[in-house]
Amino acid sequence: MAVYAAIVSLIHTVNQALRYDPIELRNYASEYRVFLSHYMSDFPRDRKALERVFEAANKVDLLAKNSFLERQKVDLFWKSMSKFLYYYQPYDFKEFLCLLETFLKDPQLMNENDKKQVQTLAHEGEDLIDLLMSNMKIMSFPNARFRICLIEEELQQLRERTWQFECGAKCTNDFVAGDSLCSSSSSSTSHLENNLVGFDNYLIQIKEQLTGCQLGLSIISIVGMGGIGKTALSRVVYDDPSIEDHFYIHAWIAVSRGYDVRKMLLGILNSVSHCTDEMYEESNEQLAEQLYRSLKGRRYLIVLDDIWNIEAWDDVRRSFPDDNNGSRIIFTSRYTSIASDVYNRSLTLDMHLLNMDQSLKLLSLKVFGTESFPPELENVGKQIAGKCQGLPLAIIVVAGILVKINKTPDSWENVEKSLGSFQNVGNSEECLDVLALSYKYLPQHLKPCFLYIGAFPKDDEISVMKIIRLLVAEGFLREIEEKTWEEVVEDYLEDLISRSLLMATKRGYDGRVIKCSMHDLLRDLSIRESQREEFLHASVPLEEPYSVSRLVFYSDVDWNDYKDLPKPSICSFIAFGRVQQLNGFEMLRVLDISFQSFMRFPSEILCLKILRYLAIGLFNDLPPSFSELCRLQTLIRWCNGACLILPEETWKMKELRHVYFKKSSHFPVPGTRMTWYGERHWDLPKLQTLSYLSFGSCAREILTQVPNLKKLGLREEEGEYLRDEQLVCYLNNLKVLHCLEKLKCFFTKQRPLPSPDAFPPSLKQLSLRGCQRPWKEMSVLSALPNLEVVKLKDYAFKGSQWELIEEVFCQLKVMLIDIADLEQWEASSINFPKLQSLVLKYCSHLREIPIGFGEVYTLQSIELWECNSSTYDSVDRIREEQEDSGNDGFTVRIHRGHNDE
């Protein structure tokens, strides 16, 4: 797999080299442009004449006869320029690219020695090509091109060698029959939630305990071996609407083996009251006290998932007050001894393995969506289920293999033979060996993705956008016609989810995955395979140096533990802790140090010429030399800080795709550049995401130079003194963003909105915060033809009454109103014909939701947070009307306030 990732990454880089504009390359030869301008002052400056200077030596001769150029100086110029062009012609790489493709298409597999050699050559080749594209120094081309030729020769020799099979061909051939991206059985995605076979009694007991009459704080312990379903069972209970309605506060925190008290406290506080920047500066004792005060007097449900030792509980238990109001705590653990040590324990559930009937039922549900097998597969299905020894995770993962291959006895028998069996179901290594079959059956393009996601911290809920940006930067993605890189990664993730190797923990209104997670046993498998294949090294100190190319750390980095680390060979460095220095890393493509802050931008990073992904906690400036990172695709600053002023040279960074600053930034108006076609502005043609930008940066000269922007965040800063008419003028420029789909606007005071035609027709999602407009101006939003999601936060609109008469939100599917003083709302189903989800937060003055929502037959859910009690009554009436109309899937979620208890 590691060799596959290396080859695909190299192909990706070679393709970029092939697409590199020769005219852009010539721009790097500044000394020659100066030479030309000096000696061609009297030469006619038309486009054809200038182009012909660079075409060929014979044309230079022709030009020389008709100009005032000295023949000797023309010869000197041409020799230098032709040398430059010769060593970086696009066609130099075409045969190389064809050779690389054969490594991926050949069905035979290389032996281990050949794999390592190909992997090393691919890494070196990619480094050389990346350096050439990022540092166009003419003297570097001959040596670099010569080395690339040698690499090509060595790869050709390996290609011609007789390769040996490493794995049985049956395994590969069985998969190919059912292989496709995000393909296959419809049941693989529609029944992902049917994981709780045999757990009905557990569910009943837990719900009765949670909502029972016992007033004192009580703790429900769920214990059992890894993979048995503790987390799945807890999650189903936690997400149950009736349970949500019963408790005022809900919080879920993953504890894990290497628990962090601070992370636990902040995680619960964030669910209770949302953490402020000041909270992150407080001590653990202060956080514990603040959590206690936040929970005091309120009925709460806290889930502490995956506790490994009693100390984790002891460190936080004093933060949970017992106010005799029916509060509950659920915790899961692999160890019954921990459960017995917990005070106030009212129920302990010791989960058992599934019996054969339950195992067969679960396997059938996951593969076919029914509780029975086709007759021809029943016997082999029993054999497969039996080898899983009743462990739900093993059954679900094996089912993920079966849905992707042919539904024939022969194919299933091959899986059964490859599966082996547990000799000891509690042995973690044997368990991983069974789960490893799912990895073995993965197509090559999914293996790097699976291993990469497994490197994230245990039990983390992972942002899909972060995964997308990292995988694009890593480069091991195959091009798919008419799809962007971001869309390719989304397909990969959906395929892994359909195989039960990933869990989609949050989806958007359109069904796209927003956050995902990986079961801890599958993560253990991922890390084991990563280190076996030298694909990635996770956290623990190296016992001996080896050819690792990616490093992931889960805590602060002490370089004394890594003295023998081969830094020059590292291409990716991701740290979930602090790291003080970055010397010695010369070939990094990915650098994520989101937990590290700097007063000034680190000079060491400016030396990383082929860097593609950069995430830093905080920096307060960007020097002009930052533009030398011309291969950079993603730039992130996570922490709050002063408004960042970007240098004008940023416009030279043609590969930028995503730029995110938590606070606002100021983009300069792009400068001009001389091209062979005349004077042009610099532009960023690949930029898709830009957040957050000051409103004053929305000049037309700026927005026209980011033509493919899809997501834009605007934030008003306190020092940005724009008059209302100036702000509207800037907002009117948004119309030039013809690809814009998502727009966020955060205001600090009452501000006007522009007319509807200021927003591009492509806009699908709009978030407004703090602009304090009267509700009648919602007519501006209703005029947007493709608007599907609208989020109104912090008094985006103000006033006690909102009456909709002729306004129709024709495409609106999701509406969120978060903090408003609205009292009376009048609307009908005509105004919201396609609405699917309505969320109201902290609208305590609203008397009722319009009864007309009961006739919006596309409506799937209403969610209320701390609203008026009469609002809850109106939701009950809407629910009755929806159910009477046959909308059985309609759900209501209510999060009551302290005063509602």
Side-chain angles (χ1 to χ4, degrees), residues 177 476 529 541-542:
F476 37 69
E529 296 299 323
L542 297 171

Side-chain angles (χ1 to χ4, degrees), residues 125-185:
E126 185 175 12
D127 289 345
L128 285 168
I129 296 169
D130 250 335
L131 283 171
L132 289 177
M133 287 191 289
S134 63
N135 189 17
M136 305 302 298
K137 293 182 179 178
I138 292 170
M139 293 307 295
S140 69
F141 282 97
N143 291 335
R145 187 175 182 273
F146 178 69
R147 180 56 191 147
I148 290 173
C149 290
L150 291 180
I151 290 174
E152 185 176 353
E153 289 178 10
E154 291 182 57
L155 287 172
Q156 186 64 50
Q157 292 173 8
L158 282 167
R159 179 65 187 86
E160 293 171 355
R161 186 181 303 168
T162 303
W163 291 351
Q164 302 295 322
F165 284 100
E166 183 187 47
C167 302
K170 284 188 176 181
C171 174
T172 304
N173 293 336
D174 281 341
F175 178 80
V176 171
D179 181 21
S180 66
L181 274 182
C182 277
S183 67
S184 211
S185 167

